[in-house]
Amino acid sequence: MFPATSMPDRDWWQALWPDPSGLLLSLGVEPGMTALDLCCGDGYFTAPLAKIVSGRVYALDLDPDMIVAAKAEVKQLGVSVLKWIVADAGDVAELIPEKIDFVLIANTFHGVPDQPALVKAVARTLKPRGLFALVNWHQLPREHTTVLGQPRGPRTEMRMSPEAVLVVLEAAGFRLVRMVDLPPYHYGAVFEHKG
């Protein structure tokens, strides 16, 4: 697993984002797209993503237990995915059988050991002008990001500013499309693949 990217309890996920579909739409997901939930965890975003794109979504996670949980979440919402993949995120380009429109990585990018390599792998999965959306914690001290009365999120020193994310993505040929504030403690950075 990537450092400091363990899956949180569902109750505080819901406290942070009571409307995951709305969050996804704000990042540019649209019906008709083919998407990937990269490092999908327990499916908190996978299920609503699948609903928006009518099942045209891939879901990848390194932890098989997270895939089991995500499958249950998707089933509960009455939707489906194209393929469940248990693998390292860095291998994504070899595992997705088609070029896709949208890749989401939520609350994980800060812990990726080789961010440039992952971004290049994502670029190879996207269609020209495809979107790569990253949801990250703002660079606030961990003790200031409380959810349900407890400090949450990665260690303070691991958090990435939007500018730091921009440097990594632009070096791989991505262009920033928009920044979205995701209160109370996150931002979404949406990039377009120049392809």
Side-chain angles (χ1 to χ4, degrees):
M1 261 198 254
F2 298 141
T5 57
S6 61
M7 194 70 205
D9 293 334
R10 176 54 62 107
D11 57 349
W12 70 268
W13 230 215
Q14 291 172 327
L16 275 174
W17 297 304
D19 179 18
S21 294
L23 181 147
L24 291 166
L25 292 169
S26 77
L27 296 175
V29 175
E30 297 176 2
M33 285 182 159
T34 301
L36 164 66
D37 190 355
L38 187 59
C39 306
C40 68
D42 71 358
Y44 189 73
F45 290 116
T46 313
L49 181 57
K51 188 168 187 175
I52 292 168
V53 300
S54 302
R56 296 203 45 78
V57 63
Y58 296 91
L60 180 148
D61 202 276
L62 183 62
D63 185 342
D65 292 337
M66 288 293 99
I67 293 289
V68 170
K71 285 180 178 180
E73 187 74 16
V74 164
K75 184 177 180 182
Q76 182 178 335
L77 199 59
V79 292
S80 62
V81 302
L82 290 168
K83 186 176 183 184
W84 297 99
I85 304 166
V86 177
D88 186 289
D91 298 330
V92 66
E94 290 76 42
L95 300 170
I96 303 297
E98 62 180 310
K99 297 290 186 183
I100 59 176
D101 303 295
F102 186 90
V103 175
L104 170 72
I105 187 167
N107 298 308
T108 306
F109 194 68
H110 61 267
V112 174
D114 189 347
Q115 293 170 344
L118 179 64
V119 172
K120 288 175 186 169
V122 168
R124 291 194 309 272
T125 68
L126 285 169
K127 294 177 182 175
R129 302 190 59 138
L131 299 178
F132 185 18
L134 299 92
V135 174
N136 284 325
W137 291 82
H138 278 295
Q139 229 180 357
L140 299 167
R142 187 174 192 270
E143 60 271 16
H144 294 170
T145 56
T146 58
V147 181
L148 301 178
Q150 297 291 320
R152 305 294 184 169
R155 296 187 313 267
T156 303
E157 66 272 13
M158 292 188 75
R159 298 177 186 217
M160 295 181 72
S161 68
E163 294 77 19
V165 172
L166 185 64
V167 168
V168 177
L169 272 286
E170 283 185 337
F174 282 87
R175 178 184 70 84
L176 181 67
V177 175
R178 69 179 160 281
M179 284 283 178
V180 181
D181 191 40
L182 303 171
Y185 306 127
H186 289 75
Y187 63 91
V190 183
F191 293 85
E192 181 181 81
H193 183 229
K194 294 177 183 175

